[in-house]
Amino acid sequence: ASLKISLNDDLNFIVNAVKEKKSIVAGPEIMLGAGNDDIRKKFGVDYMAVVPLFSRENLQGVILADNLITRKPITSNDIKILEIFARYASDAIENSRLYGKLEQQITRLKEANEKIIQSRENLIKAEKLSSIAKMALDVAHEIRNPLTVIGGFANAHLRKSGPEDASRKVCEIISKQTTRIENAL
């Protein structure tokens, strides 16, 4: 975890293997070179195999293998086995990333579908409310027409009648109640 290598360090043998997209066995002549002391000290070996992990498009990582325990030389057969493993590991890493992206896209699609369903339900509600509002306007219109005639007749009678007229009180009640109904409509 403490090993950090800049990909701009052209003197580092790991960086060179990555840039050349080629597996190598680094021996003492390479390991002792400038820019490699930190790696040699951390691993405590003079020989190390470096196998880059490439997917179809990107660098996924690097496999570093040493011979610290066995002290056997790292052979070309060892490199071939590591390269086979590296291909499988690269594919596994790439597939994992692709599955993650696919999962994110599926989540976004589900959210979008939920929004579409909610919008559709809101539209249906709005259409129903619009139909109810239109019906309420039609009913109000149908009530208002005869009400206007009744109220108009009562108001006309009030203008013509005198204060002692017997029907005046009835016309006042009719006028007041028609105004109240019109305001409610």
Side-chain angles (χ1 to χ4, degrees):
S2 65
L3 184 62
K4 294 188 183 354
I5 301 168
S6 170
L7 289 176
N8 296 325
D9 185 1
D10 291 334
L11 299 175
N12 187 288
F13 67 95
I14 297 172
V15 173
N16 289 331
V18 167
K19 285 185 177 180
E20 294 175 15
K21 296 183 180 184
K22 186 171 113 178
S23 302
I24 62 165
V25 175
E29 68 284 351
I30 295 174
M31 295 282 283
L32 293 175
N36 300 310
D37 289 337
D38 189 40
I39 295 169
R40 191 175 48 74
K41 287 176 188 172
K42 284 187 183 192
F43 283 89
V45 294
D46 290 330
Y47 285 92
M48 183 174 284
V50 179
V51 181
L53 297 171
F54 280 99
S55 66
R56 291 174 214 112
E57 301 163 5
N58 301 320
L59 172 67
Q60 301 293 333
V62 178
I63 295 177
L64 300 176
D66 61 45
N67 62 353
L68 180 66
I69 296 173
T70 64
R71 296 290 179 195
K72 291 182 182 177
I74 299 171
T75 65
S76 61
N77 283 338
D78 295 330
I79 294 292
K80 287 178 184 172
I81 290 170
L82 281 172
E83 286 173 342
I84 292 169
F85 178 76
R87 275 187 236 118
Y88 285 116
S90 296
D91 289 344
I93 293 168
E94 182 71 13
N95 286 342
S96 174
R97 287 183 181 163
L98 290 174
Y99 284 128
K101 286 180 182 178
L102 186 60
E103 202 171 284
Q104 288 174 347
Q105 289 175 345
I106 288 171
T107 301
R108 283 196 303 267
L109 285 173
K110 282 181 181 178
E111 290 170 357
N113 280 338
E114 288 173 9
K115 286 180 182 178
I116 289 170
I117 289 168
Q118 186 63 41
S119 295
R120 192 173 129 235
E121 288 173 2
N122 289 342
L123 182 62
I124 290 170
K125 286 178 186 176
E127 286 176 0
K128 285 179 182 178
L129 289 175
S130 175
S131 296
I132 291 170
K134 185 180 181 318
M135 186 177 71
L137 286 173
D138 290 345
V139 168
H141 179 72
E142 291 300 318
I143 292 172
R144 193 172 275 135
N145 281 344
L147 193 62
T148 303
V149 172
I150 294 168
F153 176 76
N155 288 332
H157 185 64
L158 283 172
R159 283 192 298 270
K160 291 180 185 175
S161 68
E164 285 86 32
D165 193 342
S167 62
R168 183 169 184 82
K169 185 149 181 96
V170 174
C171 287
E172 284 176 351
I173 292 171
I174 292 171
S175 177
K176 188 188 284 185
Q177 293 305 318
T178 55
T179 302
R180 189 170 149 236
I181 293 171
E182 283 179 2
N183 289 339
L185 289 174

